[in-house]
Amino acid sequence: MALRTIELWGSEVLRREADEIEQVDDEVRTLIGDMFETMYQAEGVGLAAPQIGISLRVIVVDVHDEVTQPFALINPRLVEASPELEKGEEGCLSIPGLTAVVERAAHVVVEGLDRDGQPLRIAGAGLLGRCLQHEIDHLNGVLFVDKVSPLQRNMLTRKWKKRR
Ligand code: NI
């Protein structure tokens, strides 16, 4: 496994629509290993492949709760999203130091493939549900700063520019 560099807000790859994985092979499993290592080193709870500059549909998640084991999901699809919404504070390893309150579906179901290419279905609420939606957004070139009011986005943009 190897530590990869995390792409930051402003990087073009974060805005791209990531490609589907066609075959779950050792190359993909190596990528997943690297993603876990990079996520843990950065003390994150989720990471999407575009965040390490790889425009492929892979996410890894570890929300550190007792029931959900860490998992990787390949070609994840949101198959259910509750009509009830929930607000919660969010950050992103690609936008370190900034957070915002983001409204998302309170409960979601996501389907994809695991690292062996087997179907995997994850249902989540709370932090897990939020994390799944946040990471899938990354695969579509969407960042949490896109999901707040224009006023708030301006504020976040200003703070980010000051920091860089
Ligand atoms: Ni993120």
Side-chain angles (χ1 to χ4, degrees):
M1 292 204 293
L3 211 53
R4 306 276 194 113
T5 303
I6 296 178
E7 299 286 329
L8 299 178
W9 186 15
S11 166
E12 185 269 331
V13 68
L14 293 177
R15 292 313 197 173
R16 238 186 274 163
E17 179 97 9
D19 294 325
E20 293 261 327
I21 298 263
E22 278 168 23
Q23 200 183 343
V24 182
D25 54 16
D26 285 344
E27 208 174 313
V28 172
R29 282 183 281 272
T30 299
L31 170 65
I32 287 169
D34 290 355
M35 287 172 66
F36 271 115
E37 189 176 338
T38 305
M39 176 182 77
Y40 287 132
Q41 207 263 348
E43 297 181 357
V45 293
L47 189 75
Q51 291 184 273
I52 56 164
I54 307 290
S55 194
L56 290 173
R57 305 188 82 80
V58 186
I59 65 172
V60 297
V61 173
D62 184 356
V63 290
H64 306 285
D65 69 22
E66 272 141 41
V67 284
T68 320
Q69 293 302 307
F71 62 89
L73 209 47
I74 295 159
N75 301 336
R77 288 177 301 117
L78 200 62
V79 294
E80 276 176 55
S82 68
E84 312 86 70
L85 303 176
E86 204 171 73
K87 286 183 177 169
E89 187 156 48
E90 259 175 61
C92 179
L93 293 179
S94 293
I95 314 176
L98 297 190
T99 59
V101 172
V102 179
E103 193 167 53
R104 295 196 185 266
H107 184 272
V108 295
V109 179
V110 173
E111 287 179 357
L113 301 174
D114 69 12
R115 60 195 306 155
D116 299 312
Q118 298 302 308
L120 182 60
R121 181 181 170 93
I122 307 266
L127 178 61
L128 175 59
R130 178 165 299 278
C131 190
L132 284 165
Q133 293 170 79
H134 177 116
E135 300 314 330
I136 290 175
D137 272 354
H138 272 302
L139 305 181
N140 298 319
V142 175
L143 302 173
F144 81 84
V145 293
D146 305 331
K147 318 219 38 134
V148 299
S149 69
L151 191 74
Q152 224 185 343
R153 186 159 47 248
N154 280 341
M155 201 183 68
L156 289 165
T157 306
R158 273 205 312 276
K159 273 192 192 166
W160 183 247
K161 283 184 179 151
K162 217 178 271 180
R163 241 162 234 257
R164 303 319 300 164

